[in-house]
Amino acid sequence: MNLALWISAGLLTAVAMAGGLSKTFIPRARLAAQHGGEWTRDVGQGFVRTLGILELLAAIGLIVPGVLGIAPVMVPVTAACWIALMIGAMITHGRLGQFGLVLLNAVYLALALFIVCGRFGPWPLGS
């Protein structure tokens, strides 16, 4: 089960890194032109960049504390924060009628929930 939790954290890290890099470094107008990026039309560039930075921090928080053994409790805490982020993403994409993206965000949410339950539960890091 520990391996499954590490794989889940790795998958979410890749998702967070990709999303964070795109939101942080791709201009809002270009994001809005991409499929699924319509939500960026109604918000400012600062908001989009802030979300990108939060996703980059999540990518770090899902892996680095566990690998280094420094504050490993941050892994499930980060996963819990990711759940909140995915709920917001699901609401946003749902309002835009992007139900495929809602489903994708639900998968990411499920992975994060698995990490939270596993790392706060029977398979904590650093024990």
Side-chain angles (χ1 to χ4, degrees), residues 2-125:
N2 189 46
L3 179 60
L5 287 162
W6 274 108
I7 291 169
S8 297
L11 289 171
L12 278 186
T13 296
V15 168
M17 186 67 70
L21 289 172
S22 68
K23 289 177 187 79
T24 304
F25 297 110
I26 295 175
R28 185 176 56 92
R30 189 164 152 215
L31 283 174
Q34 296 175 353
H35 173 69
E38 293 87 359
W39 66 271
T40 61
R41 290 185 193 135
D42 299 327
V43 298
Q45 182 68 40
F47 180 77
V48 175
R49 280 213 173 109
T50 300
L51 283 178
I53 290 168
L54 288 173
E55 288 183 17
L56 291 173
L57 290 172
I60 294 166
L62 286 165
I63 293 291
V64 173
V67 169
L68 297 180
I70 300 172
V73 72
M74 289 309 297
V75 172
V77 168
T78 301
C81 292
W82 186 263
I83 290 170
L85 186 67
M86 288 301 99
I87 290 170
M90 291 167 68
I91 292 168
T92 300
H93 290 299
R95 287 182 179 164
L96 294 170
Q98 300 169 331
F99 299 110
L101 292 174
V102 171
L103 182 60
L104 185 61
N105 292 137
V107 171
Y108 299 152
L109 186 148
L111 282 172
L113 184 61
F114 174 63
I115 294 167
V116 168
C117 292
R119 293 302 184 202
F120 275 141
W123 301 282
L125 289 166

